[in-house]
């Protein structure tokens, strides 16, 4: 492959470099930029004509001067080298080793911007994954191949929750091979170390591939990082038949990097300065999870994002929610009450739960129990609200029962230890403990058979 | 202009927007570009240069590579073999692509949408003979497309003249001539079982008709409270997770339509798989046949190139019009029209057009209106009746209904099923807000209900809505000063409204019984709950404490009726009603006795 080199840079602005008079350069081509000092930067062609090529420079254009900059077009898209050796390794957003070990040598290289999966090639995700966390397993179950983000905010324990999921996630009676792909964008050293130690202490490190971009690394590398990570995940899942859990944190940093580049390019902003294509861009990432017909592996995606100013309607959580198959929302209020994990169940949802639970999967009463808890808790929150206005003493006996339920639900069902790994049986039994504080006729979401079998007063 | 003249080269690649030098190409014409032969269409011309939007990723395409014009605008193939299939946004057959090319969608590949080899048994229309004049839209004959759908082979709308030949009954493939028509210029057209039609051009009809009957969806809040007429336009707006897709899937499953076209426009791949997996196993409640036998899917998932997303809803609506022209009632669902609007925005942004609101181009409103205008009930070219009902999901950013796509859509449609986050968070499904939703067609729907189900429909509907409104008012009072401030009668209103919410409005799409409710059952449930309420209200007037009524065991059962009795068990429901009302009578007489004793 012939790589072409030019010294015709004509403009540098933000992360963008314009190169004049370079014919036949491919759109999306990879670029190396060599500066005066002889250091190489990386880039990608984002617009190409014979007169002018626009290059997005991942490390930025600071300190580049136009005269002494060499631009080399590699004539290949951004790729990642793949082999089973990637397990246990740490890479940058550009796929370069970050662990002081040699690069991966392999004939297998793949472009990180994969073509979309054909919907006709997909199989519907159905296998319940037990995370050992009641609010997830009982009320917002995760299934293999699902994309289920954690909506968090600064200062909330999303990393601890993600780590607990990685530690505990398993399929009941299944010991098939699993791997973790961890993608960190704009994280602090403390957070990166936290995950590394987590993986080491739970003994999964040899099954983890890490892609890390620190808070002080070039933001633009955050754009390639999740694509690197997912290309690696696809390789593990669909070439090596592994069940891959991909944890990505923090998608908010990703979206901010995208906004930065879009602004530099002069793209028309839609909301809060984010480009109109943020939805499609995020979808390109999130839709790479799933199950494929006749393939044994799967990609389950748990992205973590922080909601700017705790605002769920901010474009980043909003567009994410429009793409993913549900969301686990953390609440500052619960966190401040000392409840871990502070999962706020009302806005939380798992859309794929319906086909992965119930008879033959978890337990026959699971769908109804989940529904019933939701309904009671919604009513209980209303009652709590009322009590705060008129005082708890003014409530009727019926309403007081709801109030007590809210406390018990948060204190016993939501609250659990960081090392507490509850089986789905335990979670459902705990649910019935709470439901049994109501007389059977107040429970209209569970059916009469279920009441007869599980309600403490009927048993 | 001859085909071979239209060869040119690529000048500039800006994502999906590519500038090509291609003299003689027309605006709207299909092009293929680059060494891979990617498909696209010309969206503007300037001198010898044309701007084209490309339906596929342009990664690794270079300036200087070839480009050619195909001589026709984006068109779809219309003929037997559409139903049961899944196509992408430009009508490429996805099943076949999967078999040919594997898990991912390759670029530059374009298998024909319809199978050319398959033989169809054609039965010509009786009394149709050579030398007869024939018009566009006239029925040449039929083939059985699926067990439920008889595919009527019609003369393409733009051809008319003299029928000079019609094939006898027999088996034909799509490319065989089954009829010949000589037009008034003497040109002979060879008609086949299929024809092509440009997607951006509405198919013609004789005249428009008013809607006359409701589309029955089997969903109580829709049919009973916010009815939609066949041939009408409807929007389903709501924040993420509120239930737009479930509403649309439910309509696709249970609506009494002949043909259902489901367009997944910029949404999730798994949602289409869900349809593909579940529909063949579900039975159409009217014909007993697998639902897939009347359903067709168009899929442009959110990760597919955005330009094809813009095309997908036109592909869908053109196919819908084609079945309408055969005399069918077609329902087309588009999930989500917001993603389509975003595709418009994306392209207009790349073209440097002036954005007006939230980055959307000025023509957003007119494009939306023109699209929805393709819905309607019509008299077809051959004097039959057909309809296209259009139901579009809208995904407002942040759930804010004042944003451009929702607000423009609201001005166009007749029925508005507004989904609310509060209801969804409380797991009140379908989370359709009875305050924000509306239907402009209640009057027409009432005529149908009165004639076919019960004369009391409109009254009962109004009573229920009235109680829900009172409920909201009274709840506000409770939240200010506590429940003690309410009278017994007022508290009974709260109980009654709760019964309506749980027993009528809430309907689980996942419950095998509750998922579909026939009109008879819908009215039975509503009538039953309101009768119970009325009885209770009388008792309360007599001084019976509301507590006593609220704790009656029959109320718990009343809430469950919807899933205890399916649509065929109307008689059992009647029996239950008699028992329930009897319970109230007993209290009445007990109370009367007590009253006598104390007196
Ligand atoms: N009628 C219903 N019965 C039972 N569950 C429902 C119903 N409606 C919605 N749900 C629940 O709500 C979830 C979200 O619904 P849905 O996927 O339709 O939302 P949406 O509005 O299409 O969201 P998005 O805009 O993100 O696509 C479903 O997965 C299901 O769990
Ligand atoms: Mg949806």
């Amino acid at each position: 492959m012939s790589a072409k080199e030019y010294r015709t840079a004509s403009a540098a602005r933000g992360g963008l470099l314009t190169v004049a008079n370079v014919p036949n350069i491919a759109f999306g081509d990879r670029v190396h930029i060599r500066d005066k000092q002889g250091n190489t930067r990386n880039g990608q062609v984002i617009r190409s004509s014979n007169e002018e090529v626009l290059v997005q420079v991942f490390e930025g254009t600071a300190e580049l001067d136009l005269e002494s900059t060499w631009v080399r077009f590699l004539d290949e898209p951004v790729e990642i080298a793949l082999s089973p050796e990637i397990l246990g390794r740490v890479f940058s957003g550009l796929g370069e080793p970050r662990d002081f070990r040699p690069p991966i040598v392999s004939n297998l290289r793949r472009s990180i911007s994969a073509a979309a999966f054909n919907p006709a090639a997909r199989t519907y995700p159905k296998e319940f994954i037990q995370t050992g966390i009641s609010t997830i397993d009982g009320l917002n179950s995760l299934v293999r191949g699902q994309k289920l983000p954690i909506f968090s905010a600064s200062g909330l324990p999303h990393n601890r929750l993600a780590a607990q999921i990685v530690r505990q996630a398993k399929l009941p009676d299944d010991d098939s091979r699993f791997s973790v792909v961890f993608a960190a964008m704009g994280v602090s050293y403390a957070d990166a170390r936290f995950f590394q130690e987590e993986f080491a202490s739970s003994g999964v490190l040899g099954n983890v591939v890490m892609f890390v971009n620190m808070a002080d690394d070039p933001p633009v590398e955050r754009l390639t990082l999740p694509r690197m990570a997912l290309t690696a995940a696809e390789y593990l899942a669909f070439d090596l038949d592994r069940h891959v859990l991909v944890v990505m944190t923090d998608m908010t940093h990703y979206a901010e990097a995208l906004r930065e580049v879009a602004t530099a390019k002069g793209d028309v902003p839609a909301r809060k300065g984010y480009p109109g294509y943020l939805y499609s861009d995020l979808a390109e990432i999130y839709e790479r999870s799933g199950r494929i017909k006749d393939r044994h592996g799967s990609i389950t995606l748990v992205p973590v994002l922080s909601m700017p100013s705790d605002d769920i309607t901010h474009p980043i959580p909003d567009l994410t929610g429009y793409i993913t198959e549900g969301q686990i929302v953390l609440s500052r209020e619960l966190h401040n009450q000392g409840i871990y994990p502070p999962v706020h169940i009302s806005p939380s949802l798992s859309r794929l739960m319906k086909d992965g639970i119930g008879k033959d999967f978890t337990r026959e009463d699971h769908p109804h129990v989940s529904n019933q808890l939701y309904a009671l808790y919604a009513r209980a929150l209303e009652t709590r609200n009322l009590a705060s206005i008129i005082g708890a003493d003014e409530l009727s006996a019926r309403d007081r029962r709801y109030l007590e339920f809210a406390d018990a639900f948060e204190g016993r069902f939501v609250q659990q230890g960081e090392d507490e790994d509850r089986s789905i049986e335990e979670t459902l039994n705990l649910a019935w403990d709470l439901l049994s504080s109501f007389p059977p006729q107040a429970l209209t979401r569970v059916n009469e058979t279920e009441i007869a079998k599980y309600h403490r007063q009927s048993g | 202009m001859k085909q071979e003249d239209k060869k040119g080269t690529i000048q500039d690649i800006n994502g999906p927007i590519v500038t090509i030098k291609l003299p003689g190409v027309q605006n709207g014409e299909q092009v293929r570009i680059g060494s891979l032969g990617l498909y696209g269409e010309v969206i503007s011309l300037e001198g010898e240069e044309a701007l084209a939007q490309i339906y596929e990723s342009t990664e690794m395409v270079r300036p200087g590579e070839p480009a050619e014009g195909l001589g026709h605008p984006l068109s779809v193939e219309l003929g037997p073999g559409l139903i049961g299939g899944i196509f992408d946004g430009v009508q490429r057959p996805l099943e076949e692509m999967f078999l040919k090319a594997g898990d991912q969608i390759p670029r530059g590949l374009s298998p024909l949408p319809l199978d050319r080899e398959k033989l169809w048994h054609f039965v010509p229309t009786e009394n149709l003979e050579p030398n007869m004049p024939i018009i566009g839209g006239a029925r040449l004959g039929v083939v059985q497309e699926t067990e439920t759908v008889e595919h009527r082979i019609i003369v393409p709308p733009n051809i008319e003249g003299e029928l000079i030949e019609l094939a006898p009954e027999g088996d034909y493939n799509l490319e065989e001539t089954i009829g010949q028509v000589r037009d008034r210029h003497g040109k002979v057209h060879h008609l086949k079982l299929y024809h092509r039609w440009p997607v951006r051009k509405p198919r013609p009809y004789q005249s428009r008709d008013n809607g006359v009957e409701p589309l029955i969806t089997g969903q109580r809040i829709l049919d009973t409270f916010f009815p939609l007429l066949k041939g009408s336009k409807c929007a389903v707006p709501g924040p993420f997770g509120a239930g737009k897709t479930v509403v649309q899937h439910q309509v696709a499953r249970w609506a009494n339509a002949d043909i259902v076209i489901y367009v997944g426009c910029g949404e999730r791949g798994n949602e289409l798989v869900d349809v593909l997996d579940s529909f063949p196993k579900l039975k159409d409640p009217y014909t007993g046949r697998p639902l897939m036998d009347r359903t067709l899917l168009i899929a442009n998932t959110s990760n597919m190139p955005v330009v094809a997303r813009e095309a997908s809803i036109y592909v869908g609506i053109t196919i819908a019009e084609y079945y309408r022209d055969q005399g069918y009632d077609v329902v087309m669902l588009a999930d989500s029209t917001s993603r389509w609007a975003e595709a418009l925005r994306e392209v207009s942004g790349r073209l440097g057009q002036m954005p007006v609101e939230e980055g959307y181009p000025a023509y957003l409103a007119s494009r939306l209106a023109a699209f929805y205008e393709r819905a309607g009930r019509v008299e077809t070219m051959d004097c039959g009746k057909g309809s296209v009902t259009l139901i579009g999901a809208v995904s407002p950013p942040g759930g804010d209904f004042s944003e451009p796509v929702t607000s423009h859509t609201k001005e166009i449609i007749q029925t508005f099923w507004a989904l609310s986050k509060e209801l969804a968070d409380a797991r009140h499904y379908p989370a359709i807000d009875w305050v924000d939703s509306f239907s402009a067609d209640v009057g027409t729907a009432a005529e149908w209900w009165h004639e076919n189900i019960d004369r009391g429909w409109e009254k009962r509907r109004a009573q229920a809505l009235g109680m829900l409104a009172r409920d909201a008012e009274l709840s506000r009072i409770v939240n200010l000063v506590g429940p003690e401030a309410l009278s017994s009668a007022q508290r009974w209103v709260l109980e009654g409204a709760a019964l309506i919410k749980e027993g009528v409005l809430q309907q689980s799409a996942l419950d095998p019984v509750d998922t579909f409710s026939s009109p008879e059952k819908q009215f039975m449930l509503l009538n039953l709950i309101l009768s119970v309420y009325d009885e209770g209200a009388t008792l309360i007037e007599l001084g019976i404490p509301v507590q006593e009524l609220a704790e009656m065991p029959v109320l718990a059962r009343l809430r469950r009726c919807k899933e205890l009795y399916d649509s065929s068990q109307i008689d059992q429901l009647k029996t239950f009603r008699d028992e329930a009302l009897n319970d109230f009578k007993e209290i009445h007489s007990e109370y009367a006795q007590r009253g006598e004793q104390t007196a």
Side-chain angles (χ1 to χ4, degrees), chain A residues 322 351, chain B residues 239-246 248 262 267-268 271 335-336 393 395:
Chain A
Y322 271 121
R351 299 165 195 245
Chain B
F240 66 79
K244 298 177 291 296
T245 304
V246 173
Q248 294 207 326
Y262 185 92
E267 293 291 313
R268 303 171 185 83
E271 291 174 347
D335 188 11
S336 155
S395 317

Side-chain angles (χ1 to χ4, degrees), chain A residues 27 75 113 279 318 348 443, chain B residues 59-60 62 266 398 427 560:
Chain A
F27 175 79
D75 212 18
S113 54
Y279 174 84
D318 189 50
S348 298
L443 305 176
Chain B
E59 190 176 71
M60 298 315 276
R62 305 158 195 278
R427 292 330 190 235
R560 286 212 179 92

Side-chain angles (χ1 to χ4, degrees), chain B residues 300-312:
Chain B
N300 176 280
T301 54
S302 56
N303 54 339
M304 290 186 190
V306 34
V307 173
R309 183 178 310 164
E310 196 270 334
S312 66

Side-chain angles (χ1 to χ4, degrees), chain A residues 178-256:
Chain A
F178 87 102
S179 304
V180 175
V181 170
F182 177 72
M185 290 149 280
V187 294
S188 67
Y189 279 87
D191 285 348
R193 182 143 9 92
F194 167 79
F195 277 104
Q196 203 139 19
E197 282 167 6
E198 268 294 324
F199 296 145
S201 69
S202 53
V204 296
L205 206 51
N207 274 324
V208 182
V209 194
M210 296 179 82
F211 292 83
V212 178
N213 167 282
M214 300 289 187
D216 54 358
D217 286 332
V220 121
E221 280 189 32
R222 289 168 204 160
L223 299 185
T224 46
L225 191 140
R227 293 177 169 83
M228 287 277 165
L230 283 160
T231 310
E234 282 167 1
Y235 167 72
L236 294 171
F238 304 129
D239 290 44
L240 302 189
D241 293 343
R242 286 170 173 265
H243 291 290
V244 185
L245 178 64
V246 183
V247 175
M248 304 210 271
T249 182
D250 175 326
M251 286 306 287
T252 299
H253 298 315
Y254 170 83
E256 283 163 357

